[in-house]
Amino acid sequence: MKSIQSEIRNFVADNFLFGEDPESLQNDDSFLETGIIDSTGVLELVAFIEDQYDVQVDDDELVPENLDSINCLIDFIESKLKELA
Amino acid sequence: MCGIAGFIRTDRRPVEQSDLNNMIQTLNHRGPDASGTQISGPVGLAHSRLSIVDLAGGLQPMQTADGMLSVTFNGEIFNHIELRAQLQQKGYQFQTHSDTEVILLMYAEYGPECVQHFNGQWAFAIHDRRKQEVFLSRDRMGIRPLVYTQTAGRFCFASEVKALFALPDVERKVDHTALNQLFTFWSPLPPRTFFAGISELPPGHSMIVKEGNIRIWQYWSLDYSPNEENRSLDDWADELRSLLINATQLRLRADVSVGAYLSGGLDSSITAAIIRNYTNAPLNTFSVNFNDKDFDESRFQQEMITELGTDHQTVCCSYDDIGRIFPTVIQHTEKPVLRTAPAPMFLLSKLVRESQFKVVMTGEGADEVFGGYDLFKETKIRRFWSRQPESSIRPLLLKRLYPYMKNLQAQSPAYLKAFFNIREEELQSPFFSHLPRWDLTSKLKAFFSDDLKQQLKAQDPQAEFKQQLPPEFSDWPSFCQAQYLEAVNLMPGYILSSQGDRMAMGNSVEGRFPFLDYRVVEFASRVPVRFKMNGLNEKFLLKYALRDLIPDSIRRRPKQPYRAPDAHSFIDTASQQARFEYVNELLSPDRLQANGLFQPAAVQRLVRKMEQGRAIGTRDNMALVGILSTQLLVEQMIHGQTVTPEKQTTAPARILS
């Protein structure tokens, strides 16, 4: 859990938070509402998840409920990993 | 086309000939054929000439026979023959065949109101010795540039900022408010320029300078009020057709050969087709295409070349070509750019010039005037969707809009809805149409340095723009509001400037724009919206009016905006490094720190992402181009440094016959 969280935080900080303080991003902050992620950013996020955790993200899983904050991502990745286990 | 410059001493000191010489030398690219200066009392005028009309007799600055009026003029008055006849009927005598003399004598007859009679593109200054004042004017749409500044002892003006910087008393400094506006709207709001203390005369404005005092007024503005709903489509189409044919014929008036750009899109195809079908002028066409097939339109270009039987030349543009030419491009734009699209236009005008052409016709302006941009369709879809916010189907129309945007095509309906989500307050905003673009662009300000962010915290670019809207704006249909915003902001500030005048004049080539004939523009403002955009069929009336001249495949092809490769032009993902040393230098922490506009750490992260090939989005691409072009400007125009790319690693752009 801790490692998934830090991996995601690092990825978001390196790829989307160019001029902002990474510490200011809360785990529940919506990427959409804060404008952190655009349409390309979603694709980058999905590619990262698939590469990093060796999971497949289906089309019907491409919804903000799964991807729109650090906490959403943690839950989503954990559920995907459980499916594989 | 030409370059103009000059100043008025307001401190009673004599006009310095050397200063005039230094100013006009910087504009040699605008007028390499001749140059001249004239000093009269406290006023000095200078001119660099690109001779197009009356090659022997149009030398400038020009004065009237009685010596009371002098002019330095950049541009063309296309209806000069008709105006000359009118003046002759009133008893005026002419010494030359030039349109420059027509301007002088029209001013003698009508004073500052003379510009109401002009059909053309101009920036000029007239010294009126009788009134002891200088009258300056700029064309209605902002095709020709005119900048000015005031120092302790003089009022100075020129076609380009670099001529003002040739004067020792003009300070070189970035205007941070302009930077904030540019990183919102793509261009500063006139009269601001990128440089503090340097203003531009806005399009459709004139000014009088007398004894150090300035009076500026607007002599022309867009008006979408007179909407004539009762005319038939055919009636509108007939009028448009004859107007466009006449506008094109007028713009072929020149004593040198005139070429035409052919992009493969509807607008330049129409211009070329009118030249072929309604004039006796030979048709030489020019186009740019790209090694990167994502940007290439050569298939459509070829179709029009075959259709019209033109004598055609193409310049093929690689990533390296764009990166190599970029420092030169930015020296000409004199403002940062957020996309590399101007660079290929520079290579294209170079091809035109090397082919012995000085004048080129383009289809520029049709998208603004007849509602062709995707932005207009997007606005329509967003309004349609806002009536049923829960609909999952309506936002899918947005995918149809952008077939060339792979990232958008890959979105799920849920994310599409999220990205184009419309808030209630947006629906009421006068800027509804432009908010998605401006919001995206504003995100780039995250890269600004902490000091700059702090300085700009209290500023609100949108509120500043709102203050410039005319009182009748709120009465216009929303489609027309979007058209207006595009026509007064992006068109003069970027399309006609960074991508237009500056790229053509950089190679001593004059662009001419039939769609921006003021009669066409005023006509289009009266056309009902349903004839401009029929359903989601953009430029419906234009396509209908000229349907017999354009093949169906061109008329019905999905609209593809002109674009060029951005980040790839500077960073090679294969070798994971910058293609040119100047990119490394200007984006280095030291240089970023020294200029103080951007956060070095943030830029480094972006560059790393680019090198690894992970930066594929619009935002990242715009950020890199915006930061790099800003750094180039500061380096070249504020510090006066020369930036040259090191020897290139690939063959230069080659000409394909």
Side-chain angles (χ1 to χ4, degrees), chain B residues 216-461:
Chain B
I216 298 178
W217 71 96
Q218 187 168 18
Y219 67 83
W220 185 88
S221 62
L222 277 161
D223 184 7
Y224 296 93
S225 306
N227 210 313
E228 300 168 34
E229 288 290 343
N230 298 326
R231 291 174 63 181
S232 70
L233 175 62
D234 285 315
D235 197 23
W236 285 110
D238 289 348
E239 187 179 350
L240 171 58
R241 188 184 177 99
S242 59
L243 263 178
L244 266 181
I245 290 167
N246 183 257
T248 307
Q249 288 168 333
L250 274 185
R251 278 157 184 75
L252 285 165
R253 286 178 171 176
D255 296 332
V256 295
S257 302
V258 178
Y261 284 163
L262 199 57
S263 70
L266 178 76
D267 313 330
S268 60
S269 298
I270 285 175
T271 302
I274 289 175
I275 296 172
R276 166 57 79 231
N277 288 280
Y278 288 94
T279 74
N280 297 319
L283 185 51
N284 291 265
T285 53
F286 302 89
S287 62
V288 64
N289 58 39
F290 298 93
N291 290 354
D292 185 334
K293 293 302 163 203
D294 278 357
F295 300 91
D296 196 63
E297 294 191 77
S298 49
R299 180 165 67 87
F300 296 105
Q301 291 163 8
Q302 195 51 56
E303 197 161 335
M304 281 311 293
I305 294 160
T306 307
E307 172 82 13
L308 299 173
T310 77
D311 185 346
H312 187 78
Q313 292 188 75
T314 299
V315 61
C316 189
C317 197
S318 69
Y319 298 145
D320 273 329
D321 294 328
I322 293 172
R324 178 177 45 83
I325 206 74
F326 201 62
T328 308
V329 163
I330 297 306
Q331 260 186 314
H332 286 295
T333 61
E334 297 188 329
K335 66 175 78 157
V337 295
L338 304 176
R339 309 301 312 240
T340 59
M345 298 306 290
F346 186 81
L347 294 170
L348 181 56
S349 70
K350 189 166 182 277
L351 169 65
V352 170
R353 185 69 198 194
E354 284 167 354
S355 308
Q356 311 305 313
F357 282 79
K358 291 180 177 180
V359 180
V360 72
M361 303 275 266
T362 93
E364 217 62 83
D367 282 322
E368 291 83 357
V369 171
F370 291 102
Y373 283 127
D374 289 336
L375 177 140
F376 299 126
K377 277 197 238 181
E378 186 190 291
T379 303
K380 194 167 181 175
I381 292 169
R382 286 166 61 230
R383 286 220 181 262
F384 171 67
W385 175 25
S386 72
R387 289 190 230 122
Q388 294 277 356
E390 296 312 307
S391 168
S392 294
I393 305 298
R394 293 185 183 206
L396 291 179
L397 284 168
L398 292 161
K399 268 195 186 186
R400 275 186 44 196
L401 247 191
Y402 301 110
Y404 51 89
M405 286 178 72
K406 293 174 189 163
N407 300 333
L408 199 73
Q409 292 303 311
Q411 296 304 324
S412 67
Y415 257 108
L416 211 54
K417 282 183 73 168
F419 285 124
F420 287 93
N421 181 34
I422 300 162
R423 296 183 295 274
E424 187 59 36
E425 65 271 21
E426 285 180 7
L427 281 167
Q428 308 311 319
S429 167
F431 300 133
F432 176 79
S433 55
H434 282 62
L435 290 176
R437 182 202 289 170
W438 294 349
D439 285 348
L440 172 69
T441 308
S442 296
K443 293 281 188 293
L444 309 184
K445 296 176 200 175
F447 288 90
F448 284 177
S449 66
D450 290 341
D451 284 353
L452 184 58
K453 281 180 185 170
Q454 190 59 34
Q455 197 186 320
L456 301 176
K457 210 164 63 176
Q459 292 186 7
D460 181 352

Side-chain angles (χ1 to χ4, degrees), chain A residues 15 17-19 35 39 44 62, chain B residues 411-412 446 599 602 605 609 614:
Chain A
N15 289 276
L17 293 181
F18 294 114
S39 59
E44 289 178 61
L62 288 172
Chain B
Q411 296 304 324
S412 67
Q599 290 179 57
R605 279 205 295 272
K609 187 178 176 183
R614 290 183 290 108

Side-chain angles (χ1 to χ4, degrees), chain A residues 8-66:
Chain A
I8 293 170
R9 282 196 79 91
N10 289 342
F11 177 80
V12 171
D14 282 350
N15 289 276
F16 306 123
L17 293 181
F18 294 114
E20 299 96 345
D21 175 12
E23 297 305 311
S24 67
L25 179 67
Q26 303 300 307
N27 284 354
D28 274 327
D29 283 350
S30 158
F31 296 150
L32 285 165
E33 281 173 27
T34 50
I36 289 170
I37 280 182
D38 60 5
S39 59
T40 313
V42 174
L43 305 184
E44 289 178 61
L45 253 186
V46 171
F48 166 74
I49 292 166
E50 289 181 331
D51 291 346
Q52 183 79 9
Y53 303 104
D54 202 18
V55 297
Q56 173 105 30
V57 180
D58 298 326
D59 284 356
D60 60 354
E61 292 172 321
L62 288 172
V63 291
E65 290 76 10
N66 291 334

Side-chain angles (χ1 to χ4, degrees), chain B residues 506-527:
Chain B
N507 288 301
S508 315
V509 171
E510 174 184 288
R512 294 183 176 185
F513 314 93
F515 287 104
L516 293 178
D517 184 307
Y518 80 98
R519 298 165 307 161
V520 175
V521 175
E522 289 179 352
F523 163 89
S525 70
R526 299 196 310 270
V527 172

